[in-house]
Structure formats: C-alpha cells, structure tokens
C-alpha cells in the first residue's frame, strides 16, 4: 500500500526537512500551508522549487487558528501525520500560543481520528515541555502542575497532555526535540534562533551579563539528526511512546563551556579583539529580572532589545536538567552523538564567517 503523510509546519525548518526525507522514501506528501507574508500560491511555488517537482507532493491551504482549517482535506489514504506546526518564538503571547499550539493541535488530533488507515501520528514537541525542573527528565508523561519559562513551553506541555489524555485511540508518539543549532555536523546554519542571537550579542559586545549558572547543560542537536530521527521513527511507530530527540547529559556542553569556547573562537577575529570585549559575567535570576525590567522601561534601546531577547528563556539557564534518552537511543538504528565542542566550534566558525548570515558563506 502506498504511504501518504500529512505534514503540518512544512514551510518551517523541521517540517520541510521531514517532507524532503519522506519523499525520498517514496511517500506521498500533503503539506498544510497558510497564507504568510507571501500569498499561498507563491509559498507553494517556493516549496515545489525547494523540494523538487513531484506528483507525490501536494498542498492544502489552512491556518490552525481558523475553525475550518482542515475542512477541505480528505482523510482517505492518510497513513502518517507529522504535526510540527507551532508558533516557536519564546516570546509568544499567551493567547496566540493557546490558539495555534494547543487549540490548533486539537484540530489536527480530532481530524486524525477520522483517518482510518492511520499508522502513526508523530507530535513534535520540545525537551523544554517539562518546564522549570531540575534533575532527571524521563521519556514519560509529564504531570502537572508545573511552572514554565515562557508560554511556548507551557503550550507544548498542554498539547502533549491533551494528546495523552483524550486521544488514546490514536497511534501517537511524542518526540521531544532539543535545540537545533546547525544543519549538520559541519556547523552550517540556515535557521537562526535564540541560541545564535545570543552569540551575536556576545560578539558585538552587548552581552556583559548572562543570566544562569555555568554548570547548566545545554542540549543541542543538528537539523539532520532531528529530521532523520523523525523520519525513521515515524515509519517504525511505537504507539503511545515518548522519546527525547537529544543527546545525553554526558554528551552535552554546559553554558560555561559554551561561553568559553565562543570567547576563544571570537578572539581569533581582529574586530572582536579590537573591541576589548570581556567574557560575560553570570548573574542571578533576580538581578537579571530587575535589569531587564528597567531596560524595558527605558524604551527601545539596544540594551533593552538585547536583554529582552534573552529574558523569555533566561529562567531555563538556572535549571540543571538531566534529560534521559535511553528509549530514543534504543529505537534509533544508528544513534551517534557528535563531539559537542567540535560541533560548537564549527557553528561559531560558520556564524563568524557569514557574520550571522550577512556575508556570503
Ligand atoms: N527548531 C528547534 O530548535 C526546535 C526545538 C524543539 C522543538 N521544536 C519543535 O519542532 C517543531 C518545528 O519547529 P521548527 O523549528 O521547524 O519551527 P519553524 O521553522 O518556526 O516552523 C513553524 C511552522 O509552523 C507553522 N505554523 C505556525 N503557526 C501556524 C498556524 N496557525 N497554522 C498553520 N501553520 C502554522 C509555520 O508556518 P508559517 O511559515 O506560515 O509561519 C511553520 O511552517 C515545532 O513544533 C517546535 O516546537 C523545534
């Protein structure tokens, strides 16, 4: 029987990669696309150019915040669903996080119930869905109540809880993904996020204080690793399972190691050295909160913007999580972790060479 997958978030980093990979494996792909800055037709044209013209690649228009998001989508023949659409900004507002990430997910879960040939529903979550906890984080259900660094984390926790509580009949699996910092082990970066932005502030001398503790582990992965894992586990579904798509703590750098490594790498550049930039100092949560609050009151200054970009995830930089990935390691055929320092060095090198995407690589 031919395999047909619905992929939400296909215009995003992960969804697009998974679509490319499943097309290679012979899947028919239906991508959910909403109107963006460009109109729907233009976005679809761009995706066809990127993913390659194929009669196996189809699209449907839909915005998960609309009540009728999936009304034109035929459930017939759908064997797999990869739900990766979400608003992923750490500073997302509470109501938008609820509408897109929780209520939007519910619409996909409901629709999935009508797919009679469904073999696997992969819900793409985050390792930070556990919220502000220290210690072991297991590949099991998170129980509330919990506190979170931001509404993004909270909405992923809520969507997970909804799926587990109300959709037991679906062949779901939850994949909690770590922070993607590069496309692959060579350190190329095509999508920048809070990680890259923080390094940029450091390089340009706008990061004299860092909220957090040096020993906090930062769980990083590459896009290729994540896409391969999602594609493989979606095709070998273990129903009602939860996996952490990440490396283990002993394969993971700490915040202190990241700052040291970035400082040494940046110091190889004359323009960094000439600015006499010092290593940022760690500060406690309360001091950082006060500083960020005061900077915000001063209006749109460079300082308020730089502190404001870190504030939405600052609380996570104080939690020492030991994220377990035993089930994931056992499920994946060729699990391998890169040397974290080599990967970070390659990413810093790429960011420097391209000046965070402003120069040709
Ligand atoms: N990247 C990471 O480091 C990382 C880490 C952990 C977990 N994750 C999870 O992985 C998934 C994919 O992340 P990503 O990095 O690929 O994110 P991304 O590049 O920001 O893409 C998000 C996708 O969701 C779509 N989307 C957002 N709101 C929507 C709505 N209302 N209706 C329909 N589509 C909507 C976006 O469409 P538009 O193009 O129209 O905006 C885009 O296709 C997310 O669920 C995220 O929580 C990612």
């Amino acid at each position: 029987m031919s395999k047909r997958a619905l992929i939400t978030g296909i215009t995003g980093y992960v969804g697009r990669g998974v679509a490319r990979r499943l097309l290679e494996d012979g899947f028919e792909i239906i991508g959910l696309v909403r109107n963006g800055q460009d109109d729907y037709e233009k976005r679809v044209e761009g995706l066809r150019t990127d993913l390659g013209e194929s009669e196996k690649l189809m699209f449907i228009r839909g915005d998960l915040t609309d009540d009728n998001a999936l009304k034109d989508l035929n459930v017939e023949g759908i064997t797999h669903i990869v739900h990766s659409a979400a608003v992923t900004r750490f500073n997302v507002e509470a109501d938008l996080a609820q509408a897109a990430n929780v209520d939007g997910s519910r619409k996909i879960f409901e629709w999935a119930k009508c797919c009679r040939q469904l073999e696997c529903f992969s819900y793409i979550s985050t390792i930070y869905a556990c919220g502000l906890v220290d210690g072991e984080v297991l590949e099991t259900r998170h129980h509330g109540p919990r506190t979170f660094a931001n509404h993004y984390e909270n909405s992923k926790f809520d969507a997970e809880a909804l799926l587990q509580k109300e959709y037991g009949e679906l062949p779901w699996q939850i994949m909690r993904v770590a922070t993607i910092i590069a496309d692959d082990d060579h350190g190329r970066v095509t999508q920048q996020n809070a990680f890259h932005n923080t390094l940029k502030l450091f390089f340009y001398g706008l990061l004299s204080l860092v909220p957090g503790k040096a020993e906090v582990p930062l769980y990083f992965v590459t896009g290729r690793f994540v896409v391969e894992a999602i594609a493989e586990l979606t095709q070998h579904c273990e129903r009602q399972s939860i996996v952490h798509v990440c490396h283990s703590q002993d394969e993971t750098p700490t915040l202190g190691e990241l700052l040291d490594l970035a400082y040494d790498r940046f110091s190889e550049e004359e323009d960094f050295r000439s600015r006499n930039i010092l290593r940022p100092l760690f500060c406690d949560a309360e001091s950082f909160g006060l500083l960020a609050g005061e900077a915000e009151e001063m209006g749109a200054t460079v300082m308020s913007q730089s502190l404001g970009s870190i504030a939405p995830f600052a609380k996570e930089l104080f939690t020492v999580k030991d994220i377990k990935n035993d089930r994931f390691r056992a499920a994946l055929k060729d699990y391998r972790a890169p040397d974290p320092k080599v990967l970070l060095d390659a990413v810093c090198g790429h960011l420097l060479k391209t000046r965070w995407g402003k120069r040709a690589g």
Side-chain angles (χ1 to χ4, degrees), residues 178-231:
T179 306
I180 299 174
I181 61 164
D183 296 352
D184 53 33
D185 291 354
H186 301 299
R188 206 173 109 91
V189 179
T190 51
Q191 172 157 294
Q192 294 185 33
N193 55 33
F195 166 82
H196 309 94
N197 191 43
T198 306
L199 287 182
K200 181 159 68 179
L201 294 174
F202 182 7
F203 181 75
Y204 288 107
L206 297 168
L207 192 72
S208 45
L209 289 178
V210 173
K213 297 191 289 197
E215 67 271 26
V216 166
L218 298 175
Y219 292 88
F220 296 137
V221 280
T222 67
R224 174 169 296 172
F225 177 78
V226 170
V227 163
E228 288 295 325
I230 293 174

Side-chain angles (χ1 to χ4, degrees), residues 89-92 132 148-155 312-313 316:
R89 284 183 290 115
F90 292 155
N91 63 350
V92 62
L132 295 169
F148 299 93
N150 50 55
H151 301 302
Y152 165 73
E153 285 183 359
N154 198 342
S155 67
F313 63 90
E316 283 295 359

Side-chain angles (χ1 to χ4, degrees), residues 9-15 32 34-36 43 62-65 83-88 100 124-127 152 156 177-180 191 193:
I10 195 168
T11 54
Y13 185 84
V14 172
L32 184 77
R34 62 176 173 166
N35 292 326
R43 303 193 87 195
D63 186 320
L64 290 175
T65 59
H83 177 36
S84 76
V87 180
T88 55
I124 312 306
S125 187
T126 162
I127 55 166
Y152 165 73
K156 300 302 276 190
V177 175
T179 306
I180 299 174
Q191 172 157 294
N193 55 33

